[in-house]
């Protein structure tokens, strides 16, 4: 079973994806880390984020085991990743890696911005997670403070809006819900309520119903 979870920054999609993957015992991939890792490689080697050739080379050299999430999280890397993710050649270079992960035996849970529309349009379940700008900014500010970063709330709101605009307006794989995605607004939901809502969506898919029936009959 392939579960595609898309949505803008700080909507809660990553947390939901991890919870669902753990509950369903499926592997999980935060595809945003691919773009963060690409951006970090460019920065570490002194390349401009807009250097297409260097960005494509960095993307092609990635391995899923290389990620150190403590180095890839944070406001700076989020902004840098958004810039790199707008380069069509970088997205093309990372497609096969993501699709191979999704097609593992038994399936997988992937979260990002184009999973249901580009990476896995055949996904058994597609959820598009959203929330208000203010709710997302509050979550991101709390996350950054938890990492010991100084936070300017107004700047966080502005960053989120800039990322939304960049992600939604790019020519390749823009951020948008798949036509058959189920919308999930987490503005007023805590983590547990959002998880229950997402699980309910997954459990209504034919693939999950079949799996549940098979388990119940054994």
């Amino acid at each position: 079973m392939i579960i595609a979870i898309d949505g803008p920054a700080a909507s809660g999609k990553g947390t939901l994806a991890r919870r669902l993957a753990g509950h369903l015992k499926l592997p999980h991939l935060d595809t945003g880390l691919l773009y963060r890792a690409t951006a970090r490689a460019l920065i570490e080697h002194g390349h401009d984020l807009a250097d297409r050739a260097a960005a494509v080379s960095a993307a092609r050299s990635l391995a899923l085991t290389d990620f150190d999430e403590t180095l890839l999280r944070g406001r700076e890397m989020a902004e840098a990743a958004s810039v790199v993710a707008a380069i069509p050649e970088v997205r093309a270079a990372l497609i096969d890696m993501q699709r191979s992960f999704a097609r593992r035996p038994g399936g997988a849970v992937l979260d990002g911005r184009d999973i249901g529309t580009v990476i896995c349009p055949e996904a058994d379940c597609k959820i598009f997670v959203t929330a208000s700008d203010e709710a997302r900014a509050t979550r991101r500010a709390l996350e950054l403070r938890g990492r010991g970063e100084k936070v300017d709330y107004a700047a966080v709101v502005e960053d989120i809006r800039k990322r939304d605009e960049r992600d939604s307006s790019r020519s390749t794989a823009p951020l948008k819900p798949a036509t058959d995605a189920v919308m999930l607004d987490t503005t007023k939901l805590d983590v547990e309520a959002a998880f229950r809502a997402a699980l309910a969506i997954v459990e209504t898919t034919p693939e999950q119903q079949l799996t549940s029936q098979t388990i119940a009959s054994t």
Side-chain angles (χ1 to χ4, degrees), residues 3-192:
I3 300 175
I5 301 182
D6 293 304
S11 59
K13 65 182 182 297
T15 299
L16 282 180
R18 287 189 293 273
R19 287 286 302 273
L20 286 173
H23 181 81
L24 298 170
K25 296 180 172 56
L26 292 173
H28 165 244
L29 176 62
D30 175 352
T31 63
L33 291 178
L34 298 173
Y35 298 98
R36 289 174 182 247
T38 299
R40 183 169 182 82
L42 290 175
I43 293 170
E44 288 182 340
H45 290 88
H47 294 294
D48 189 286
L49 292 174
D51 185 333
R52 295 191 174 217
V56 170
S57 178
R60 287 175 176 167
S61 68
L62 293 180
L64 295 178
T65 56
D66 289 344
F67 300 149
D68 182 343
E69 289 198 36
T70 59
L71 298 177
L72 298 178
R73 298 299 181 183
R75 181 179 169 189
E76 178 188 3
M77 293 312 305
E79 178 66 17
S82 183
V83 174
V84 169
I87 300 175
E89 295 88 346
V90 169
R91 304 197 74 85
L94 295 172
I95 283 179
D96 287 343
M97 184 186 298
Q98 296 172 77
R99 287 178 176 167
S100 294
F101 186 94
R103 291 166 184 165
R104 293 181 175 195
V109 180
L110 289 81
D111 70 87
R113 287 168 173 74
D114 65 343
I115 309 304
T117 55
V118 176
I119 304 302
C120 299
E122 78 286 5
D124 302 288
C125 178
K126 302 176 186 178
I127 302 175
F128 192 89
V129 186
T130 188
S132 69
D133 294 353
E134 294 74 18
R136 292 189 288 133
T138 297
R139 293 169 186 170
R140 180 51 51 83
L142 289 173
E143 177 187 351
L144 295 175
R145 287 195 184 103
R147 294 196 174 94
E149 295 187 33
K150 293 183 178 179
V151 177
D152 178 336
Y153 179 78
V156 173
V157 172
E158 181 62 21
D159 281 351
I160 281 178
R161 289 174 177 166
K162 284 170 56 180
R163 288 194 65 189
D164 287 352
E165 173 62 24
R166 185 184 296 124
D167 293 343
S168 299
S169 63
R170 65 190 178 213
S171 60
T172 301
L175 168 66
K176 64 178 181 179
T179 56
D180 54 347
V182 179
M183 303 296 290
L184 176 57
D185 189 332
T186 64
T187 300
K188 298 181 179 180
L189 302 179
D190 61 19
V191 173
E192 189 59 33

